[in-house]
Amino acid sequence: MADERPASVFFFAPFVSSTMPIEQGWIDYNGHLNMAYYHVLFDRAVDEAFSIVGLGPDYVAERQATYFAAEVHVRYRRELTLDDRVRVTLQLVDFDEKRVHFYTEIRHALEGWVAATSENLSLHVDAATRRVAPFPDDILDNLAVMRSCHARLPRPADLGRVIGVPRRGLRREGEPVALAGGARARH
């Protein structure tokens, strides 16, 4: 009697996308990759990675469900130019019945340096109602396999970063200025 269980999925840790070129139309007036196209590269790699768990382009048609970006935090670390080719790595950080938290890095395909990082939270959505809905069990099982493979990776340093202006010795308008001898003055 044949085994009726579906084949297990296998994941590299981290997932590594196919090699992608920088397209001519993506170069801006500064002579480097426009920030919008970093997102295109991230998005193409996410499609590749999540196709493995069953969340590919056919998922919407077959299951009437999809996933939407809920929050994204991108850091631009190094310029990319027209001659660069890149690969994107993806690490599944966590998931629950309705959400996926993952981290991606755009890396130079030959030299390996990091051009940008992106921390993401996506929501599973019922395509008919456009409301957040639970993942099917088989997708949850595949995500569990992916997370267990990726759990062996170190936690990315950029994960959970907060954006803001550091206050290192800067004063706000109206704050007293410390003078020699402990006196304070307002300007």
Side-chain angles (χ1 to χ4, degrees), residues 22-166:
I22 305 302
E23 297 182 19
Q24 176 67 51
W26 298 355
I27 301 300
D28 66 17
Y29 52 81
N30 293 313
H32 62 208
L33 184 64
N34 179 276
M35 65 180 274
Y37 296 101
Y38 283 83
H39 292 267
V40 170
L41 293 166
F42 282 127
D43 195 51
R44 287 180 178 178
V46 169
D47 284 348
E48 276 186 53
F50 286 155
S51 286
I52 297 169
V53 298
L55 294 171
D58 54 343
Y59 184 73
V60 177
E62 293 173 6
R63 306 272 190 114
Q64 288 72 54
T66 189
Y67 56 98
F68 290 171
E71 187 170 342
V72 177
H73 187 154
V74 175
R75 288 189 70 207
Y76 303 94
R77 310 275 306 264
R78 190 163 168 182
E79 292 178 309
L80 289 168
T81 61
L82 184 60
D83 295 332
D84 292 321
R85 296 180 61 76
V86 300
R87 298 188 98 169
V88 178
T89 60
L90 181 142
Q91 180 176 350
L92 179 61
V93 176
D94 204 0
F95 72 95
D96 66 14
E97 67 278 354
K98 298 177 183 179
R99 297 174 291 203
V100 181
H101 180 200
F102 57 96
Y103 172 81
T104 53
E105 293 180 341
I106 296 175
R107 294 180 165 273
H108 190 274
L110 298 175
E111 298 171 16
W113 44 262
V114 176
T117 67
S118 182
E119 181 178 2
N120 304 264
L121 182 69
S122 289
L123 305 173
H124 187 256
V125 174
D126 179 305
T129 66
R130 310 301 267 189
R131 299 185 61 84
V132 177
F135 285 107
D137 288 341
D138 62 316
I139 301 297
L140 289 171
D141 290 345
N142 291 342
L143 288 169
V145 173
M146 184 181 214
R147 181 180 57 192
S148 99
C149 292
H150 291 190
R152 300 176 192 133
L153 296 168
R155 183 175 174 84
D158 280 359
L159 208 58
R161 289 181 56 92
V162 176
I163 193 169
V165 178

